[in-house]
Amino acid sequence: MPRPQVTVVGAGNVGASVAQRVAEASLADVVLIDIVDGLPQGKALDLAEAAPVVGHDMRVTGTNDFADTAGSDIVVVTSGLARQPGMSRDDLLSKNAGIVRSVVKQAAANSPDAIFIIVTNPLDAMCHVALEASGFSPEKVIGMAGVLDSARFRTFIAQELGVSVSSTHAFVLGGHGDTMVPLPRYSTAGGVPITELMEAGRIEELVTRTRNGGAEIVALLKTGSAYYAPAASVTQMVDSILNDRNMILPCAAYLQGQYGVDGLFVGVPVKLGRAGITQVVEIELADDERAAFDRSTDSVRELVDAMSRMAAG
Ligand SMILES: NC(=O)c1ccc[n+]([C@@H]2O[C@H](COP(=O)([O-])OP(=O)(O)OC[C@H]3O[C@@H](n4cnc5c(N)ncnc54)[C@H](O)[C@@H]3O)[C@@H](O)[C@H]2O)c1
């Protein structure tokens, strides 16, 4: 049986790190594609030459031609501009929409059975572009944001309590960005809700730090944005899909009535398996959580509307 194949569009920081993690975890052969001549070829060759030392047999190749990505099982879209200091995700909207539309069209034509994992920001809006450009069914177009957001929250919870990150679990809903909704009562250490382990004020500080997690790293790096944790998050989604693990992970999913939302990508817990999203997991929200969730979906809707206006204008 041929090995699974993952195409990674964009050989920049996030894309190259995804390629490395996917290959080195022996999850799939990887095709790295970028618009810049030589960049994906060079990084792919470098990654391939690490294989004998790391000890895996995955093929890693680089290309500028979508024909070389044909038959992929998963296409990870990281192409676009990264946020610079002081630049909001929204500033990236129109530029990245054009890039994502173009690469998704070409990737979908070459890999009609693939599942898309979208990473490019602004995330929720780019998922809409990808759904439309691919013509794929909604369970095959998934946005990566919640896994990263919850990983950040877990990191801060573990640091605060002095416990292993592996003992933590964090629940994050809503759009990717300043309006994301971390849910402390479903966030736990050793199975105990953190609301029983920390003062409310301290939890609020960790929630705020999580919301600003991307900006905190942008401010430190000064050029470019986070990529190690984003790439690890994508790789967990790839693993759950390719190995049909059905992990419940927070992802941007196209809602069709769930959570009272229709026709919008929003971050919710989903079951991820070989067919893509096999279930959206719904939970009851308390009034304050519902209000925060509604604010978050409103801001996603504003972005999508802004994009439609740009496309029309
Ligand atoms: N969803 C998330 O949680 C999350 C996390 C981190 C980064 N991101 C986003 O991911 C994207 C990539 O970030 P990065 O740090 O890797 O940026 P980067 O600048 O390092 O890499 C982007 C790459 O895309 C390539 N590219 C541009 N146009 C292209 C096209 N038409 N076809 C193919 N490749 C093209 C560029 O040449 C570049 O190599 C950004 O939009 C960033 O904001 C999202």
Side-chain angles (χ1 to χ4, degrees):
M1 214 173 83
R3 274 197 298 261
Q5 177 174 294
V6 172
T7 283
V8 181
V9 186
N13 282 337
V14 177
S17 300
V18 169
Q20 179 178 8
R21 285 189 187 270
V22 167
E24 292 187 353
S26 293
L27 288 171
D29 290 338
V30 177
V31 182
L32 197 53
I33 182 164
D34 199 285
I35 201 164
V36 177
D37 183 35
L39 181 72
Q41 292 87 345
K43 291 199 180 179
L45 181 59
D46 197 5
L47 284 169
E49 289 168 354
V53 183
V54 177
H56 70 81
D57 284 299
M58 302 299 112
R59 263 192 312 274
V60 186
T61 49
T63 183
N64 306 111
D65 182 353
F66 273 94
D68 298 329
T69 69
S72 292
D73 298 276
I74 295 182
V75 176
V76 179
V77 176
T78 76
S79 52
L81 305 180
R83 216 161 27 133
Q84 301 298 313
M87 190 191 207
S88 79
R89 281 199 180 85
D90 306 8
D91 297 337
L92 292 176
L93 185 61
S94 96
K95 191 87 187 146
N96 283 355
I99 293 172
V100 169
R101 189 171 298 115
S102 149
V103 301
V104 166
K105 270 207 175 108
Q106 297 175 77
N110 283 283
S111 300
D113 298 321
I115 291 168
F116 277 96
I117 298 176
I118 308 302
V119 183
T120 305
N121 276 319
L123 194 267
D124 309 283
M126 292 308 111
C127 290
H128 279 266
V129 172
L131 181 68
E132 198 187 277
S134 64
F136 284 10
S137 55
E139 69 276 8
K140 295 196 155 189
V141 179
I142 311 161
M144 188 292 287
V147 177
L148 172 63
D149 295 335
S150 76
R152 286 179 172 149
F153 198 20
R154 288 176 65 188
T155 305
F156 304 146
I157 292 168
Q159 286 172 355
E160 179 70 14
L161 296 174
V163 301
S164 163
V165 287
S166 66
S167 295
T168 64
H169 176 81
F171 202 117
V172 175
L173 280 177
H176 183 47
D178 312 336
T179 63
M180 78 174 81
V181 186
L183 295 192
R185 72 190 172 103
Y186 286 119
S187 301
T188 58
V192 180
I194 57 166
T195 44
E196 314 232 337
L197 301 170
M198 283 181 228
E199 297 290 327
R202 189 63 189 133
I203 292 176
E204 198 45 47
E205 285 169 12
L206 301 191
V207 163
T208 302
R209 191 172 178 200
T210 302
R211 280 208 186 97
N212 299 329
E216 183 177 359
I217 290 182
V218 168
L220 288 166
L221 292 180
K222 297 187 182 65
T223 55
S225 56
Y227 54 98
Y228 293 116
S233 304
V234 170
T235 306
Q236 186 175 48
M237 293 167 67
V238 168
D239 180 21
S240 192
I241 294 168
L242 288 182
N243 292 317
D244 200 24
R245 284 170 166 267
N246 287 302
M247 295 172 87
I248 295 176
L249 297 173
C251 299
Y254 189 73
L255 299 185
Q256 297 169 291
Q258 300 96 337
Y259 288 92
V261 176
D262 201 18
L264 206 62
F265 273 91
V266 186
V268 290
V270 298
K271 233 194 238 179
L272 272 195
R274 197 60 194 83
I277 294 177
T278 53
Q279 191 193 336
V280 172
V281 179
E282 287 191 81
I283 57 154
E284 283 295 320
L285 298 179
D287 288 349
D288 57 332
E289 292 163 355
R290 166 54 64 183
F293 183 76
D294 288 346
R295 271 198 302 281
S296 183
T297 52
D298 284 349
S299 79
V300 176
R301 203 177 289 282
E302 274 166 30
L303 267 188
V304 174
D305 289 349
M307 215 164 48
S308 310
R309 281 198 301 278
M310 280 177 208

